[in-house]
Structure formats: C-alpha cells, structure tokens
Amino acid sequence: MGFDPYYQWLSIHPSERPADYYRLLGINRFESNPEVISHAADRVMLHVRTFQHGKHSDDSQRILNELATASRTLLNPGLKATYDQELKIGRAHV
C-alpha cells in the first residue's frame, strides 16, 4: 500500500473521502464558531507543515493549499453559507 497523507497525517480514512472542509480541519460539520474553525485550521496546518521539507513535501504543499481554502471558505460568512448549503444538498466541492 502506498503513502496516504490524508490517512497518515489527518486520520481521514479512504472511506471518508472526498473529505469536506470540516473533515479536513477535524471539526464537526457545520461548526459555526469562527474561533473553533480558526484554531482547528492553525492546529492542522502546523502539523502538516512539519512535513514540508521531507520526502513528501509535494503532498504537504498540496494539502496545505486545501486546508487554506477550507479555512478561508469557512471563515467567510458568505462563502460558508454557500458551501454549507451545497454540502447539505450533496453538491459541495470537496
């Protein structure tokens, strides 16, 4: 079995993919507290950054970009509302 950064770094099992933004950040779906979202994003990004200079640096950068997008979306009320609505009807980009 090959290296799986989502599973090994973020504990996201293959059966949980594609992971939505909440799952990427390790928080409950539809979390509304911006401080919870912000702290979760900081925590998981700090963890993934520890792999930036290793043999999986490309994976690290790709996931950091995904985490930044998730954080930016969930911390912007308008974007979050749209994302949450799309997630509820099963059309969210993950």
Side-chain angles (χ1 to χ4, degrees):
M1 184 169 170
F3 175 72
D4 183 346
Y6 294 96
Y7 187 48
Q8 293 182 18
W9 296 345
L10 304 177
S11 301
I12 300 174
H13 192 272
S15 66
E16 298 178 273
R17 290 189 226 144
D20 63 53
Y21 290 164
Y22 295 97
R23 183 65 182 100
L24 283 173
L25 298 181
I27 56 178
N28 290 327
R29 190 174 267 191
F30 307 117
E31 175 61 57
S32 61
N33 186 321
E35 289 185 32
V36 170
I37 296 167
S38 179
H39 290 300
D42 290 346
R43 181 186 67 247
V44 73
M45 289 176 88
L46 181 64
H47 175 65
V48 173
R49 277 190 195 105
T50 65
F51 304 103
Q52 275 185 308
H53 301 291
K55 66 180 181 178
H56 299 293
S57 61
D58 290 345
D59 292 314
S60 173
Q61 189 57 56
R62 180 175 41 83
I63 291 174
L64 284 168
N65 290 342
E66 291 176 26
L67 294 168
T69 299
S71 175
R72 193 170 36 256
T73 299
L74 298 181
L75 290 172
N76 177 303
L79 294 176
K80 183 181 184 316
T82 300
Y83 182 78
D84 286 353
Q85 184 61 34
E86 290 179 358
L87 195 58
K88 287 175 184 174
I89 60 174
R91 292 191 337 201
H93 298 283
V94 291

